[in-house]
Structures are given as C-alpha cells and as structure tokens.
Amino acid sequence: MPASHDVKGIVRHVAEIIIEELKLEDVTVETFNPDMDLVDELGIDSMDLATIALVLQDEYRIMIDEDDYPKLKTIRLIAEYIEEKIAAKN
C-alpha cells in the first residue's frame, strides 16, 4: 500500500498509475494536471477506467463501486474518493 494517504500523495500515486497503465509518453507526474478531465481531455474510455480502478483497489485495498466510476473524472476527484474510502475503513 502506498505510504502517503493525504490527497497530495494520493494524487501523485494515481497519476503514476494512470501514466503507467495507459503508457502515456508525453506526460510526467509533475506535468499531469490533477484537474484535467480524464475522459474528455485525455480520452480515457470505460475499459481504461475499469483497469485503473482495479489497480487502485489493489494498491489501496479498497472497493470502488462501478456505480461510482462516473464520479471519477479527474485525478483529484479519484484521490479524494480514495481518501474517503481509506478514512471509512479506519
């Protein structure tokens, strides 16, 4: 499980996962805008989002409900969602 559970640390880790899973070549963690719309601006489709959600579930040991996928539009929203799930577990 990633060491940092604050939103800033989660944002960074989620960006790393998205860059790795989608094999983004022109983006780094430092240049990835956490407020960029992943679907409209980056072109992530539902299969990509499902893959990312599965990786995040494993990484953070949380459950991400498929009904929540539409809420996960930006890295910041994903990080806040993960933080809430972690807080609810503890």
Side-chain angles (χ1 to χ4, degrees), residues 32-85:
F32 209 128
N33 178 352
D35 297 309
M36 177 176 29
D37 188 301
L38 298 174
V39 174
D40 291 341
E41 294 180 62
L42 194 58
I44 290 180
D45 64 21
S46 59
M47 289 303 293
D48 292 334
L49 189 55
T51 300
I52 292 164
L54 289 172
V55 172
L56 293 172
Q57 288 181 129
D58 288 345
E59 290 279 326
Y60 289 98
R61 296 185 177 96
I62 59 169
M63 285 300 302
I64 300 175
D65 193 319
E66 282 186 50
D67 293 340
D68 291 337
Y69 287 7
K71 298 181 207 171
L72 308 177
K73 293 179 182 244
T74 70
I75 291 178
R76 189 174 316 282
L77 290 173
I78 294 170
E80 290 168 357
Y81 179 88
I82 291 170
E83 187 182 47
E84 287 173 19
K85 288 286 192 174

Side-chain angles (χ1 to χ4, degrees), residues 2-13:
S4 183
H5 292 305
D6 65 324
V7 170
K8 189 174 182 181
I10 296 171
V11 163
R12 184 173 182 82
H13 190 68

